[in-house]
Amino acid sequence: MTGHEIVDSSFTAIINAPIHMIDIPEWCFSLGEKDYQDCSPAHISAGFTTTPDGRRMSINVEVIGGSLMVQHYVDTLGRPDHLVLESVSDVFTPSGRTTIHVLWELTVKAIDSERCEFINRVRSKATDEFNAFLDRQGIPFDVFRAQRQPMSIAHNRGETPLFAASIERAALRRATAN
């Protein structure tokens, strides 16, 4: 990731399902729009596709801090217990369109035979385009970061337990289907 770090936020929640029943990539790349919307009032739409070279991609649309974001999350590590997604996300602000670099990491770790700890970590950094965007407006990066961090952290805090509940439902559906 290039540029200045905007935010590094991590929250945990409990999933009441055994680790062997959880498959985070399967959940992510089949997440329906309604289920995505139910995980945060800021979530607008979700879908999935592939990159031109065939890698899986989750497309998420949400509003954070008044800015519309279109995230193009490409699968860079996809294990049932650990998913890492990377996006150069489009950000639409009142001052125009720009991009930021986002790394989204979802992990589960067994607590015992029936429960897991879910970790939802989001890191974002400024792209060169974003730094130029701030420079054209005369906004110091530190001022932007100080305003953006609380909103991004609050968003992650709110969606983490709802993502965990969604992953739990998917795991339990898989168990009853098998």
Side-chain angles (χ1 to χ4, degrees):
M1 289 173 53
T2 63
H4 298 97
E5 182 177 270
I6 299 168
V7 70
D8 185 346
S9 168
S10 183
F11 291 95
T12 62
I14 301 299
I15 295 176
N16 293 301
I19 196 161
H20 71 272
M21 293 171 50
I22 296 171
D23 189 328
I24 298 172
E26 180 180 307
W27 167 80
C28 180
F29 295 109
S30 64
L31 184 64
E33 184 169 74
K34 175 76 169 100
D35 203 11
Y36 177 73
Q37 291 169 344
D38 288 346
C39 291
S40 172
H43 291 176
I44 297 169
S45 186
F48 44 92
T49 187
T50 56
T51 63
D53 64 0
R55 293 179 294 160
R56 296 179 292 190
M57 181 190 302
S58 173
I59 306 289
N60 297 348
V61 180
E62 61 187 346
V63 175
I64 298 178
S67 295
L68 179 71
M69 296 187 66
V70 179
Q71 299 155 330
H72 316 270
Y73 286 118
V74 177
D75 180 1
T76 61
L77 172 69
R79 298 190 326 241
D81 66 336
H82 193 182
L83 177 63
V84 178
L85 302 165
E86 193 168 352
S87 173
V88 175
S89 298
D90 296 302
V91 182
F92 298 86
T93 76
S95 301
R97 178 181 177 178
T98 189
T99 60
I100 63 171
H101 192 192
V102 183
L103 196 64
W104 183 23
E105 185 173 12
L106 304 103
T107 309
V108 290
K109 297 177 182 177
I111 295 172
D112 56 35
S113 63
E114 297 299 317
R115 296 177 306 143
C116 296
E117 178 184 57
F118 169 65
I119 303 138
N120 182 26
R121 183 177 185 194
V122 178
R123 292 176 280 174
S124 62
K125 290 197 174 187
T127 60
D128 291 342
E129 178 184 347
F130 186 80
N131 287 327
F133 179 77
L134 290 180
D135 288 347
R136 283 192 304 275
Q137 298 174 74
I139 300 171
F141 181 80
D142 291 341
V143 170
F144 167 80
R145 181 176 50 211
Q147 292 175 350
R148 179 68 177 204
Q149 277 186 347
M151 293 175 277
S152 295
I153 290 168
H155 178 79
N156 191 12
R157 179 184 295 117
E159 72 185 0
T160 296
L162 299 173
F163 278 152
S166 179
I167 293 166
E168 179 179 309
R169 287 189 302 274
L172 297 175
R173 275 193 308 270
R174 277 183 70 211
T176 58
N178 291 335

